[in-house]
Amino acid sequence: MIDNQPKENSQEKIKYTAKDFTSSQDVRWCPGCGDYSILAQVQRTSPDLGFKKENVVWVSGIGCSSRFPYYMDTYGIHGIHGRAPAIATGVKVNNPNLDVWVATGDGDLLSIGGNHFIHACRRNVDIKILLFNNKIYGLTKGQYSPTSEKGKKTKSTPFGSVDFPFNPLSLALGAEATFVARSLDRDPKHLQAIIKRASEHAGTAFIEIYQNCNIFNDGAFELYTEKDTKPDNVVFLEHGKPMIFGKNQDKGIKLEGLNPKVVDLANGEASVNDLWIHDEFDESPARAFILAQFTENENMPLPVGVFRQIKRSTYDKDFHEQIERIKKVKGEGDLKKLLFAGNMWTVN
Amino acid sequence: MKVGKEVLELSDVTVRFAGDSGDGMQLTGTQFTNTTALVGNDLSTLPDYPAEIRAPVGTTYGVSGFQLHFSSSDIQTPGDSPDILVAMNPAALKVNVKDLKHNAAIIININSFDARNLKLAGYDTNPLEDGSLEGYNVVQVPLSQQTSKALEDSGLSAKEISRCKNFFALGMMYWLYSRPIEPTLKWIKDKFKDTPLLAAANEKALLAGYYFGENTELFTTRYQVEPAKLPKGIYRNISGNEALAIGFVTASVKSGLPLFLGSYPITPASDILHELSKHKNFGVRTFQAEDEIAAITSAIGAAFSGALAITTTSGPGVALKTEAIGLAVMTELPLIIIDVQRGGPSTGLPTKTEQSDLQQAINGRNGEAPVVVIAACTPADCFNMALEAARLATKYMVPVLYLSDGYIANGSEPWKIPEPDSIPGIEVKFRTEKEGFAPYMRDENLARPWAIPGTAGLEHRIGGLEKSNVSGNVSYDPENHEFMVRLRAQKVKNIENDIPELEVTGDIDADVLVIGWGGTYGSITEAVSRARRNGGRVAQAHFKYLNPFPKNTGEVLNKYKHIICAELNMGQLAKFLKSEYLVDIDSFTKIQGLPFKSSEIEKKIETVIGGYSK
Ligand code: SF4
């Protein structure tokens, strides 16, 4: 038998640098595109993730973001539109020793590839999905996407779109994703930390990254990324900590029943003790869902960080454990027994 | 016990069991088949079931049938017209009577011929009384009543008792055709080991049927069919889907590659998924995907990471997989797409057979996207072609589209089991050497190296964008594109040097050549041999390689004045051959969701020859 499973070798861990993960291909995104930052954060983080470079596989679909694998000096498949989670599932299930990552966009993952996305989440295949959400179709030159806000005027909707958008985090939570997070292209430190967290998670890890498309949807996330507006509009989620934000750390989030509310910490309206303490590991997805819905409420800030992380066995692990179990019960496959089976008779 | 019933020796018999889809006709037919195989007859089967799982009871569209042809000599088909029909109700009679031989026997469950069932079947008058069955030997058996009587003390409900009547019918048929009942008794014991009441009842019904045959005045004759003189060896009866599935497990062992199946349930291919899911102790990885596209793209991912990757489907599924097949062409990965064809277009006739996906297989993709196309020609041949698909895909790093069809997939025949050691190995080498590696470099077969993730130093990216030869970098260069398009085509074309030539059998110097491809092999072969027995001079050639065609195809076609091409479509192979070899072809087609009857092809041959000169 040819053994196609890479073996953990006992040699000392190789020390990589970001350069080891940089391929020789010229990067061809538009100058100023948020994709550059995401690529840089991934390349910077990769040496610290504890992988062997040869075990890393980047899979993508179609779209600007899906060029990503070409720029990583790892194994990679630039697939077809929407199918990256399914391709990645095949790679991972066939060889669970590999570290499999998906780079995808809002059109790729949530429009044409929506089905594969939700099924990857529910199965909890041990793959990491980075959604570059720019709320627009870039590669096809500027049509509205399934995450564009209602009323969006684009080339294909000159009078404004009339369809309601997806909330990617709500969708992931609804699809039973075990790791759900959000970060920003313009916040390198945060993005790096979230990538690390995702890589440590066993199971499908989903990160929505707000990514600026400076050509077709410039400034879509300005409120959350610019120095002067960011503090009052973004709340950083930290496990076990109360939700506080604001330029002067003077605003908090309180949960009244199922209703979140921004409270003023400076004027005595509420104290830190009244605030919602973030629990990433809450078994129930209810609070994470409320958090995900902040974007639908103009009074609420944008949560970034890990919304939810729970433990559940992974599909690929269960898949192979079952095979091993059956091998034990039935014995390793024997061709002779396979062929010479059923009702047989002899002709002399 | 009555003694002295006449025993009549027959050379071959075609029986058909027909009843409501809830009557257990498939099970009855399968049991009769297994026992017949053990007796040593050559055989061929044709299950025919409705698309609805449980159509309304008693209606014609709920009729399920199972036909079996068995013989004391070599046979090729499940038989054109049954010699005997077992009809469990009026609807079963109505649907099947037109297929019978003129003097066929019809065994009828008389208890089901009441006003209600006759009406449900659409009979205005009772066919048993209106003379419409004249010429047939109708045997009216009180099947339901006899079963109830036999099982009155069984402790089962009336409904459960009624379900046992197929075993009564089976027992009766065993008696009639001198088959042993022991194999089925053993099977019942095994199958119903957790429900002893049912086991006892079914056993009792089977025996009751058998003794009924022996004791009743209705049968004066019983029949015997001697074992066939098949080549020496150990045999089992096998269906096409089963043969295909274990063929791929064998290919996995012979290549040392783990088998990965990405699949989405679809009639009539699902049984391959079921069968492969049983063999996890061979390390088989079966992934039931969320849709047809995920089924193939997961297989592409698995192929990239070093599996013997296959995806199984039927025509509509191939349509959905089309774009992904193109990706496999572009990424030059070994991937096997299995299309168990059914009647189309669209949802078409899910449970019926057809050969109408040939054009889709050869050309059905955007761009110039050549794949290897092969077809199995009998149920047992599905095993061989699985090995062949695996050999070609891995040797040439190319997608292979493997055509089967509903007829051979569900049909079965005796299979002489090969010794595992006699099956040639499939040599696969992953690239491990760093020195001089480039992802799109070429070997002598124009194949690119298979360098799988986990191999240090060979990190590379592949994808659907056009690639520069050797380096594998994305390239929009006009000359490179033309070069790569031609290279991918040449790679497939070169395979003609690595496949068997088209073999001509029969009268090599005949005036008429009958050709076909895939699952029509049995019908054509039988038609040709009958025509020859009747004095016709006829040659036959059958295609199993559709892209590329065997190297000598042109030479063979040019030898014959008249070529009949028999296909279950509108003439797709004929069209390809005409345009490729500029020969005249007499396309003979049938598009009814049914296989050819040999007699239909024989008649065509006769018309062409202009009668036989004996
Ligand atoms: S079109 Fe937008 S998303 Fe695409 S590369 Fe240019 S800036 Fe980035």
Side-chain angles (χ1 to χ4, degrees), chain A residues 28-30 32-35 64 134 138-139 211-216:
Chain A
R28 299 211 196 154
W29 289 309
C30 308
C33 173
D35 291 355
C64 294
N134 54 15
L139 197 66
Q211 172 246 322
N212 191 41
C213 168
N214 54 311
I215 302 295
F216 297 109

Side-chain angles (χ1 to χ4, degrees), chain A residues 2 54 74-75 78 94 345 347, chain B residues 235 285 428 454-455 461-462:
Chain A
I2 297 167
E54 64 267 25
T74 63
Y75 285 92
H78 177 212
N94 187 52
W345 69 97
V347 175
Chain B
Y235 285 78
R285 290 137 202 210
V428 176
T455 318
R461 276 67 54 196
I462 58 173

Side-chain angles (χ1 to χ4, degrees), chain B residues 473-499:
Chain B
N473 289 336
V474 174
S475 167
Y476 300 106
D477 179 70
E479 271 85 38
N480 175 72
H481 177 54
E482 177 153 358
F483 178 83
M484 290 300 279
V485 166
R486 294 189 187 285
L487 184 146
R488 288 186 287 264
Q490 192 60 49
K491 180 165 86 163
V492 171
K493 173 87 173 137
N494 284 354
I495 292 173
E496 68 180 18
N497 298 314
D498 198 10
I499 57 174

Side-chain angles (χ1 to χ4, degrees), chain A residues 1-6 23-25 28 53-57 62 67 69-81 83 85-96 98 112 115-117 119-120 122-123 315 319-320 322-323 326-327 330-348, chain B residues 34 37-38 40-41 230-237 246 249-250 253-256 258 260 278-291 293-294 297-298 301-302 304-307 323-324 327 383 414-415 417-420 423 428 430 451-465 467 473-474 476:
Chain A
M1 294 273 285
I2 297 167
D3 191 354
N4 81 323
Q5 310 290 322
S23 80
S24 59
Q25 297 285 293
R28 299 211 196 154
K53 184 172 129 167
E54 64 267 25
N55 286 350
V56 178
V57 182
I62 294 294
R67 297 297 170 92
Y70 289 123
Y71 308 137
M72 291 293 295
D73 192 21
T74 63
Y75 285 92
I77 305 181
H78 177 212
I80 45 178
H81 207 8
R83 318 304 169 198
I87 297 173
T89 298
V91 172
K92 183 71 185 179
V93 169
N94 187 52
N95 185 352
L98 300 173
I112 191 166
N115 198 30
H116 310 305
F117 171 53
H119 287 277
R122 79 165 167 90
R123 288 193 185 103
Y315 178 82
F319 188 99
H320 282 272
Q322 185 183 58
I323 289 177
I326 294 166
K327 276 184 184 170
K330 287 175 81 173
E332 283 276 346
D334 175 346
L335 209 47
K336 186 126 193 176
K337 278 194 203 142
L338 174 78
L339 303 183
F340 291 84
N343 282 325
M344 292 180 290
W345 69 97
T346 307
V347 175
N348 289 315
Chain B
N34 290 344
L38 287 176
N41 296 127
L230 298 171
K232 263 190 197 170
I234 300 175
Y235 285 78
R236 69 188 270 197
N237 187 51
I246 65 173
V249 177
T250 306
V253 173
K254 289 286 169 183
S255 62
F260 180 97
K278 289 186 208 158
H279 301 301
K280 301 221 159 165
N281 59 327
F282 283 85
V284 174
R285 290 137 202 210
T286 53
F287 174 61
Q288 184 176 317
E290 57 270 26
D291 58 28
I293 298 172
T297 48
S298 64
F304 180 62
S305 63
E323 186 193 11
L327 177 65
F383 180 85
W415 175 47
I417 309 172
E419 269 302 323
I423 301 166
V428 176
F430 293 130
I452 61 170
T455 318
L458 301 189
E459 292 84 0
H460 66 280
R461 276 67 54 196
I462 58 173
L465 286 170
K467 298 288 180 291
N473 289 336
V474 174
Y476 300 106

